[in-house]
């Protein structure tokens, strides 16, 4: 049972030092929270997104559990949820990127007991990278290593200035490092993108490629890394960038002491998808013939990296895993939640900290609405509104402790600000697992 921090009187100001922001994959763990009762009044060092995450947090006035829209006790909800999952022939578990690693672990266990399909929001963001890692491997590093060593930083299809506002200042561009005493002055920053983003404005070199030409651009660099001769006209037609620009970039990459490529959904979710990610992973590997080069996806949700890690520990694969036969099978497209629902295959679901009713395709949403499903979320969402059993849970990082994984796979502990009247999703999931196991044994 999780013990929340004691509840201070409303007027007393409490400062929680080194709290962790879980709004984005940077997972900044240096935030000082000023807390008055059930309100965070200041989030020192947080960026604009983190500040809004903390200061807008409020305890909603609604029941902890609804069954078919009617208030019920948490125990009744757990019982009904377990019945739905045990009786299903093709249960689906989905979401998981905005909760703790501890909860993710229990959710995968439940899927294993009931022989279901487990998928995370990775399948709609960096799923192609997850597939490419399986094929090409990953030359990688922690953000700490990047901070202390990275003298050439490339952002490809990624715009951290807007999506991860402290990425530049905390990890990749501005900090003075052990081997970079002058910080930004010791670094070259390159942005490759289809449009001039806010991040591009902060770069030393901006390479504007043609939309959907990432694969061609990456293979141009791979060819240049090997010293192959290329047709300038062909390269410019294919990529929208003159060969001389690619050659200059390759020369600089070879001269770097420690190069880093951060990539985003501008690469993984455009034409080529996993082939784009694989090309980038292979380019990084190629560069290690000349100098040290690493790459890393810039991840969005606070613990989506934890979801990848947990599902991989438990099944060997990062997402889109089917456990129906008693052993894991990995097949994106077949076992990804959006596809399982759109094809009308799942006959029950458990959605954790995610809102597929707001962002899946129409056929997937229609099907989800037609089957009994359980939703766990701190907020009321379109998904919780249509759930057979909806649990209102405490918010991870603000109300409950636990572990999350930063985008570089480093686990970070959470320091909650104040307790919530709602149970954590870990407590609910543990209850469901116990109930599922006892039902299966009888
Ligand atoms: S960069 Fe991300 S993790 Fe850090 S404070 Fe901003 S939103 Fe939070």
């Amino acid at each position: 049972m999780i013990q929340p921090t004691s509840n201070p009187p409303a007027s007393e100001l409490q400062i929680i030092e080194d709290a962790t922001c879980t709004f984005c994959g940077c997972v900044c763990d240096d935030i000082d929270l000023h807390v008055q009762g059930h309100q965070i009044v200041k989030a020192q060092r947080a960026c604009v997104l983190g500040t809004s995450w903390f200061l807008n947090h409020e305890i909603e006035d609604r029941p902890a559990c609804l069954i078919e829209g009617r208030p019920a006790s948490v125990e009744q909800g757990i019982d009904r949820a377990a019945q739905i999952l045990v009786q299903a022939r093709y249960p689906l578990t989905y979401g998981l990127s905005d909760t703790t690693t501890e909860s993710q672990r229990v959710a995968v266990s439940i899927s294993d007991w009931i022989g279901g399909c487990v998928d995370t929001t990775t399948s709609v963001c960096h799923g192609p990278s997850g597939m490419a890692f399986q094929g090409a491997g990953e030359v990688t590093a922690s953000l700490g290593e990047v901070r202390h060593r990275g003298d050439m930083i490339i952002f490809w299809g990624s715009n951290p200035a807007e999506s991860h506002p402290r990425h530049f200042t905390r990890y990749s561009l501005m900090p003075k490092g052990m081997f970079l005493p002058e910080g930004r002055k010791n670094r070259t920053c390159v942005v490759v993108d289809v449009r001039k983003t806010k991040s591009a404005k902060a770069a030393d070199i901006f390479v504007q490629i043609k939309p959907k030409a990432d694969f061609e651009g990456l293979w141009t660099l791979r060819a240049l890394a090997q010293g192959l001769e290329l047709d300038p006209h062909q390269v410019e037609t294919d990529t929208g960038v003159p060969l001389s620009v690619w050659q200059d970039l390759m020369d600089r990459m070879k001269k770097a002491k420690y190069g880093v490529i951060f990539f985003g959904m501008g690469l993984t979710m455009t034409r080529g998808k996993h082939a784009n990610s694989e090309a980038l992973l292979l380019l990084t590997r190629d560069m290690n013939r000349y100098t040290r080069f690493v790459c890393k996806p810039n991840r969005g949700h606070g613990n989506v990296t934890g979801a990848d890690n947990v599902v991989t520990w438990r099944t060997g694969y990062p997402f889109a895993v089917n456990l129906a036969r008693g052993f894991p099978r990995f097949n994106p497209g077949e076992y990804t939640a959006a596809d399982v629902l759109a094809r009308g295959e799942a006959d029950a679901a458990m959605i954790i900290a995610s809102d597929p009713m707001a962002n899946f395709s129409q056929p997937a949403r229609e099907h989800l609405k037609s089957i009994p499903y359980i939703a766990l979320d701190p907020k009321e969402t379109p998904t919780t509104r249509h759930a057979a059993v909806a649990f209102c849970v405490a918010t991870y990082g603000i109300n409950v402790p636990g572990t999350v994984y930063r985008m570089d796979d480093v686990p970070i502990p959470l320091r909650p600000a104040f307790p919530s009247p709602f149970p954590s999703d870990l407590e609910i999931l543990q209850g469901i697992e116990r109930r599922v196991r006892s039902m299966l044994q009888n």
Side-chain angles (χ1 to χ4, degrees):
M1 178 79 160
I2 289 174
Q3 293 300 328
T5 53
S6 62
N7 195 6
S11 55
E12 192 183 309
L13 183 73
Q14 240 202 359
I15 298 180
I16 313 292
E17 289 180 353
D18 295 331
T20 301
C21 174
T22 54
F23 188 79
C24 85
C26 280
V27 185
C28 300
D29 57 350
D30 61 345
I31 313 293
D32 289 349
L33 296 178
H34 296 223
V35 182
Q36 247 167 349
H38 278 169
Q39 194 67 44
I40 298 170
V41 291
K42 188 173 172 189
Q44 217 169 335
R45 286 188 284 276
C47 71
V48 59
L49 300 179
T51 301
S52 151
W53 162 250
F54 283 117
L55 270 56
N56 291 331
H57 173 77
E58 53 188 39
I59 305 281
E60 291 190 8
D61 182 18
R62 63 188 177 107
C65 177
L66 294 170
I67 300 180
E68 313 291 354
R70 284 185 292 279
S73 71
V74 169
E75 289 67 32
Q76 287 168 328
I78 287 174
D79 201 52
R80 180 77 190 105
Q83 277 170 14
I84 290 171
L85 295 174
V86 168
Q87 284 163 8
R89 298 187 62 200
Y90 194 154
L92 168 72
T93 300
Y94 176 71
L96 296 172
S97 54
D98 272 318
T99 185
T100 61
T101 293
E102 290 77 359
S103 301
Q104 292 162 344
R105 205 175 57 175
V106 181
V108 180
S109 288
I110 295 171
S111 298
D112 202 0
W113 288 115
I114 57 179
C117 199
V118 59
D119 187 34
T120 75
T121 61
T122 284
S123 64
V124 291
C125 60
H126 272 278
S129 312
M131 291 163 69
F133 294 146
Q134 301 268 327
E138 184 189 17
V139 189
T140 187
S142 72
L143 290 173
E145 213 176 326
V146 171
R147 177 188 172 107
H148 288 292
R149 295 175 186 271
D151 64 343
M152 172 148 214
I153 312 289
I154 302 174
F155 294 98
W156 196 303
S158 176
N159 180 16
E162 286 179 289
S163 58
H164 302 76
R166 294 185 78 208
H167 198 289
F168 287 170
T169 50
R170 204 163 135 76
Y171 306 115
S172 54
L173 278 194
M174 312 310 284
K176 292 183 177 159
M178 205 179 289
F179 302 101
L180 304 156
E182 294 186 72
R184 179 69 180 88
K185 283 191 197 151
N186 295 133
R187 292 184 166 96
T188 303
C189 174
V190 181
V191 169
V192 183
D193 215 322
V194 295
R195 65 187 175 92
K196 191 156 192 178
T197 59
K198 209 169 158 191
S199 299
K201 290 178 193 146
D204 301 301
I205 300 166
F206 172 49
V207 180
Q208 185 162 6
I209 54 168
K210 251 177 36 177
K212 303 180 187 169
D214 301 272
F215 184 82
E216 288 80 355
L218 287 160
W219 273 81
T220 300
L221 286 173
R222 287 199 74 198
L224 294 175
Q226 291 187 40
L228 298 179
E229 262 191 45
L230 296 174
D231 173 0
H233 175 69
Q234 184 75 49
V235 167
E236 190 160 354
T237 307
D238 288 347
T239 66
V241 178
L243 178 59
S244 57
V245 173
W246 292 119
Q247 185 63 63
D248 176 61
L249 178 56
M250 178 46 61
D251 294 344
R252 289 169 187 266
M253 286 168 77
K254 284 185 176 171
K255 279 189 207 137
K257 288 199 179 113
Y258 192 109
V260 187
I261 312 178
F262 288 106
F263 58 106
M265 283 169 61
L267 180 82
T268 65
M269 279 298 168
T270 52
R271 192 185 67 173
K273 292 196 168 184
H274 67 280
N276 293 346
S277 299
E278 196 169 280
L280 190 137
L281 299 177
L282 292 173
L283 170 65
T284 310
R285 197 180 67 186
D286 294 347
M287 293 311 298
N288 279 275
R289 275 199 229 133
Y290 308 99
T291 182
R292 179 68 176 149
F293 241 91
V294 299
C295 63
K296 204 74 214 156
N298 271 345
R299 303 305 303 273
H301 293 280
N303 199 21
V304 67
T305 308
D308 288 359
N309 274 277
V310 171
V311 180
T312 306
W313 301 336
R314 300 300 306 270
T315 70
Y317 305 106
F319 66 100
V321 183
N322 187 298
L323 298 157
R325 290 195 184 159
F327 57 88
R329 287 177 294 161
F330 172 61
N331 200 4
E334 185 175 6
Y335 303 136
T336 26
D339 301 286
V340 169
L341 290 170
R343 287 193 303 265
E345 291 170 352
D347 60 350
M350 180 163 68
I351 313 292
I352 301 155
S354 181
D355 191 11
M357 273 299 190
N359 51 44
F360 272 13
S361 66
Q362 179 79 8
R365 283 184 279 133
E366 289 294 327
H367 184 68
L368 183 58
K369 218 190 273 183
S370 73
I371 60 174
Y373 72 88
I374 302 119
L376 294 89
D377 208 295
K379 300 250 173 263
E380 190 184 350
T381 66
T383 300
T384 63
R385 256 174 249 142
H386 290 99
V389 185
F391 293 101
C392 179
V393 296
T395 303
Y396 80 135
I398 294 183
N399 308 128
V400 285
T403 313
V404 297
Y405 277 63
R406 205 167 59 187
M407 63 164 79
D408 56 347
D409 300 289
V410 171
I412 308 272
L414 301 177
R415 291 188 181 84
F418 54 84
S420 164
F422 299 112
S424 67
D425 52 11
L426 177 64
E427 290 168 304
I428 305 279
L429 290 166
Q430 285 171 330
I432 294 175
E433 187 189 7
R434 275 194 297 273
R435 197 72 194 95
V436 162
R437 291 186 65 177
S438 79
M439 285 178 181
L440 291 173
Q441 278 159 9
N442 293 328

